Every structure is written in structure tokens, then in C-alpha cells.
Amino acid sequence: AMFRTESVEEFYQIGEDIGSGQFSEVKKVTEKSTGKDYAGKFIRKRRSTASRRGVKREDIVREVSILEELSHDNIISLHDAFELQKEVVLILELVTGGELFHYLAEEDHVNEEVAAQFVKKILEALKHMHDRNICHLDLKPENIMLLNRNTQNIMLIDFGLSRRIKPGEDIRDIMGTAEFVAPEIINFEPLSLNTDMWAIGVITYILLSGLSPFLGDDQQETYENVTAINYSFEDDDFFSSTSELAKDFIDHLLLKDPRKRATVDQCLSHPWIMPRSKKQKVQRQTSHLKLEN
Ligand SMILES: Cc1ccnnc1
């Protein structure tokens, strides 16, 4: 059996809230036998098929089996799992550097050198997944945590929507957060590893400018902006110092046809991520933080 059925409180001391999701709460927990701290993700089980609250047991089993298959420095590791009557508790590696989202809120936008390092780390974690035919399908700043404030070291933390993509199998039913979903998700067309690459384009755009490329006044408007690929770098206040390399990187990801988007390997060898010449390196550095005076 995948889940222990003893009481989690017998083995872990439950601490304070450190995060919450739609149907889950994350609390700091301490393993009694070792004194080590972890993150306990308490996921409410769906009580009946008619209900829309809670998570289907099979979806929790899928998240656990994907977490067990992955092993990478920038992907959260699973230490233990318990099943109680109303909920499942995943004991996850504890990350305390805060969400990339909150870092962005304080930093507004980051200079290209720093942004490129962040994106490279996210791409390395994503490569580990894509090489195993696993796609995340919910990449967004909230699901990316900082290991600590001063490095670009990140951790992917939430695999609730992740799927194994079997060749020929058709996945159409996933719906992540409007700002980050690819056109094929909105149009209920088949999803693929390339669906994650769209989200990398959106996250990079936000890292560089602090703006969300497709965000509208409501979800409907956001969806219209996404399906129309309605984004630009024209807003001079935010992109005047952005390099052509960075714009080229994003333009190869925010493409309607998933097959035309750069793959994770192509992104890792793009000159914005892996500058080949002094000139390309300088291009990345000349974009500077417009320091608010
Ligand atoms: C919120 C969170 C999740 C997983 N690990 N640490 C913190």
C-alpha cells in the first residue's frame, strides 16, 4: 500500500501553517524520531463523485507516484505519506525561501542575468521531468519556491496536475491558472510536454518586466488574450532595457502551435540561457535594473 494508515500525529509533531492550496493546507511538521523538519501537505479527499470539493483519491495517488519517480535537486522530494479517513498527508521536503511570486512582488522585476539564472534552474528541473515523459501542467510563480533569498536556487513544489504523457494518449481536461495556461488548454486540444514550455515563456516575461503578458480584467478576457497570442514588448516603461536575446527566447515559447515551441533542450541551449560569445554575455548584462530613484 502506498500510504501508511497509522496516525500522522504519532510520528510527527504538527507545527504552523506555511501555505495553502484549493483543497490542501501545508504545515511545518517535525519527525519525532529524528527531530527533522518537513512540510506536511494535508489534502482533503473527495467524499463522493458528485462533490466538487476535495481531491479524488486516484489524483492523489498519481501525484505521489510521480513524486516518487522524480529525483532532482530542484524538485521537492517526498519523505512519507499517510492516509486518514478524510485526508491524505504528504510529508515533503521543507523549503523556506518563500515563493518566487512573493520575491517578484518585492523585487518587481529582476535584471536579465538573475532572471536567466532562475529560468535555467526551472528548465533543469523541467528537463528531469520531460526526459521521463512527465509534464507539470501547472507551472507558475506560486509553484516555484526559493531555496533561500540570495541564490537563484529554486524548488518545484506542487505536482497536483502533473501527468505522464503516453504517446498517443489524449489529455485535454486539465485547467491550470488562466494567466499561465497555453492556448491548447483553453481550446481543449491535446496537451503535451510543450504545454509546459508556454508557461516558461509567461514566467520569463513576468521575471523580466513584472507584467503578466495575457492578464485581463477577468478570466474570460485573459483567455481571449491567450488564444489571440495577444502580447507585446512594446510597453517601453518595462522593456526598454530588455535584450533582443531575451525577447527572442520568449518569442520561441509564446507560439500558438505547440509543435513549433522550443523544447526544454532547445531552451537550455538558447544563447540567452547559455551565452556563447562575449557579445551575447554583454547583451544580457547591459539590461540593468532601472533603479527607482
Ligand atoms: C509550501 C511548501 C511545500 C513543500 N515544501 N515546503 C514548503
Side-chain angles (χ1 to χ4, degrees), residues 3-6 45 57 81-85 87-89:
F3 303 115
R4 297 171 65 179
T5 52
E6 301 105 312
K45 288 195 296 190
R57 188 180 190 283
F82 291 81
E83 177 161 23
L84 316 170
Q85 222 251 332
E87 61 191 356
V88 167
V89 186

Side-chain angles (χ1 to χ4, degrees), residues 103 180 189 235 293:
Y103 172 78
F180 303 91
E189 287 155 3
D235 193 330
N293 41 29

